Amino acid sequence: MNSPSDDPVKTDKILTSKSILSGFEQYDRNMDSALDYLNTSEDALASVKDVIMTLQELATTSATGTSDASSRANTAVTVDQLYQQLLTIANTNYDNKYAFAGYETGTEPFDQTGNYLGDANSYQVRVNSSGYMTVGVNGGDSH
């Protein structure tokens, strides 16, 4: 076959096959991106767990009744720093998309006071011709 006019039926089948193949390649790229996005979110949540464990240790140590004013002041500074660290983690992004902003992935989800600024939806990617996979959560649900 030298030109499409030589066999229009085969030409149509070839073009349809190329279109289908291109769609599958896009879905594959979407799934790779979704996996990276989910791994970023998982790493962020693991960091949150570490910060919370540190906060629990500080609370336990401070609750013993043996802490003096200086020790409590130092603990307060550390707690403030850990709070800022939690906000930074809550505003984690991957590929210029905030992981916990819901569908509004371009909006930083939390302000400096911890107020949620994202939306109430989830970020999804198309993984086949009729299906989507949720990869970004609404940080307001977990706030």
Side-chain angles (χ1 to χ4, degrees):
M1 200 168 87
N2 294 322
S3 72
S5 62
D6 291 346
D7 193 337
V9 174
K10 284 186 181 176
T11 299
D12 182 55
K13 288 181 180 181
I14 289 170
L15 292 175
T16 299
S17 296
K18 285 184 177 184
S19 176
I20 290 170
L21 182 59
S22 176
F24 285 145
E25 290 169 347
Q26 181 62 52
Y27 300 142
D28 189 48
R29 286 189 300 275
N30 290 355
M31 286 186 280
D32 286 344
S33 177
L35 182 59
D36 290 343
Y37 196 96
L38 290 170
N39 285 335
T40 298
S41 297
E42 184 177 7
D43 290 345
L45 294 173
S47 294
V48 167
K49 178 183 171 189
D50 292 343
V51 171
I52 289 172
M53 289 177 65
T54 301
L55 287 166
Q56 287 175 327
E57 291 168 8
L58 286 170
T60 301
T61 302
S62 296
T64 62
T66 60
S67 298
D68 60 14
S70 174
S71 177
R72 287 190 302 274
N74 288 337
T75 298
V77 169
T78 302
V79 168
D80 286 342
Q81 291 168 343
L82 291 170
Y83 177 76
Q84 291 304 315
Q85 187 176 348
L86 285 172
L87 285 176
T88 299
I89 296 166
N91 289 324
T92 292
N93 71 62
Y94 166 76
D95 198 26
N96 296 317
K97 295 178 181 99
Y98 289 99
F100 304 113
Y103 189 75
E104 294 293 325
T105 60
T107 301
E108 190 173 69
F110 294 93
D111 66 16
Q112 288 303 303
T113 61
N115 291 318
Y116 182 66
L117 307 174
D119 70 4
N121 300 302
S122 297
Y123 176 62
Q124 299 178 324
V125 296
R126 184 180 283 274
V127 293
N128 60 42
S129 62
S130 62
Y132 291 84
M133 182 171 116
T134 299
V135 294
V137 297
N138 164 1
D141 285 343
S142 58
H143 177 65

